[in-house]
């Protein structure tokens, strides 16, 4: 299984701390709604199910053992979209590609990003590099910043 994780929110202080190199990194935004309904990415993008209980695949294994003709080996995808409720703040989605070892390593094309968000503590040196790339590719870029009187991240359009 090949998995790529995304979030539907860009302003989580906690996630910028965990995944954005303590606010020094950047975040890429994709407008999935602009994809053609037949686009493969729309068919393999799933929301995470947050639960108190672990996903139990027992019934799928039992069915496979009893009736080999109706076996569907994609049940592993179900397990891949379950997480504990402690992670719910991430608002996570995943691209799931059920490719086994017999498939060659390859990259999958993503749509052009709709925006880039620069971390609130990103160095000026890296801001220039990311801004130059975004400008060349005609991608909007935005600067994240901490709100002055709240524990909240905001962003300003730069281009």
């Amino acid at each position: 299984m090949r998995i790529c994780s995304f979030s539907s929110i860009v302003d989580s202080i906690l996630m910028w701390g965990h995944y954005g190199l303590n606010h020094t990194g950047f975040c890429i935004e994709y407008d999935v709604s602009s994809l053609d309904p037949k686009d493969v990415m729309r068919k393999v993008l799933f929301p995470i199910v947050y639960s108190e209980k672990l996903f139990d695949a027992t019934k799928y294994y039992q069915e496979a053992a009893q009736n080999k003709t109706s076996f569907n080996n994609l049940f592993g995808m179900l397990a891949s979209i379950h997480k504990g409720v402690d992670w719910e703040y991430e608002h996570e989605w995943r691209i799931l590609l059920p490719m086994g070892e017999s498939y060659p390593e390859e990259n999958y094309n993503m749509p052009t990003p709709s925006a880039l968000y620069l971390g609130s503590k990103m160095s000026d040196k890296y801001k220039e590099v990311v801004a130059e790339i975004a400008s060349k590719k005609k991608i909007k870029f935005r600067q994240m910043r901490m709100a002055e009187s709240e524990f909240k991240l905001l962003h300003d359009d730069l281009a």
Side-chain angles (χ1 to χ4, degrees):
M1 184 77 61
R2 295 188 183 141
I3 300 173
C4 186
S5 297
F6 300 89
S7 175
S8 61
I9 57 173
V10 71
D11 59 357
S12 167
I13 293 172
L14 189 57
M15 287 201 305
W16 273 97
H18 290 172
Y19 304 119
L21 283 171
N22 197 29
H23 300 260
T24 64
F26 64 93
C27 175
I28 302 172
E29 178 182 81
Y30 295 100
D31 180 7
V32 177
S33 67
S34 69
L35 293 175
D36 184 296
K38 294 179 182 175
D39 190 299
V40 69
M41 285 301 164
R42 280 199 140 183
K43 296 177 181 180
V44 296
L45 182 64
F46 301 93
I48 293 298
V49 176
Y50 299 98
S51 175
E52 292 285 341
K53 297 185 179 195
L54 291 172
F55 176 76
D56 184 358
T58 305
K59 67 181 179 182
Y60 301 100
Y61 280 111
Q62 288 174 338
E63 183 179 328
Q66 293 170 0
N67 185 356
K68 301 217 186 293
T69 59
S70 69
F71 176 68
N72 182 340
N73 67 349
L74 298 179
F75 70 85
M77 293 177 73
L78 282 173
S80 298
I81 63 167
H82 284 79
K83 275 178 105 166
V85 293
D86 289 348
W87 297 98
E88 202 164 12
Y89 71 92
E90 292 185 331
H91 300 265
E92 186 177 350
W93 287 70
R94 289 182 178 172
I95 289 176
L96 301 176
L97 299 168
M99 306 295 198
E101 291 182 19
S102 60
Y103 287 86
E105 291 292 323
E106 60 183 280
N107 293 325
Y108 292 88
N109 291 329
M110 291 297 294
T112 299
S114 53
L116 293 174
Y117 294 81
L118 311 181
S120 62
K121 296 179 183 178
M122 181 181 266
S123 73
D124 289 339
K125 174 185 170 185
Y126 290 119
K127 282 182 194 177
E128 288 177 27
V129 171
V130 175
E132 185 178 331
I133 293 168
S135 293
K136 282 181 184 175
K137 296 191 174 283
K138 297 180 174 53
I139 301 169
K140 293 184 282 188
F141 57 102
R142 300 174 171 137
Q143 177 66 60
M144 300 303 292
R145 65 179 166 84
M146 288 294 299
E148 291 181 25
S149 60
E150 300 175 82
F151 289 110
K152 186 176 182 180
L153 274 175
L154 306 170
H155 61 78
D156 300 312
D157 287 344
L158 299 177

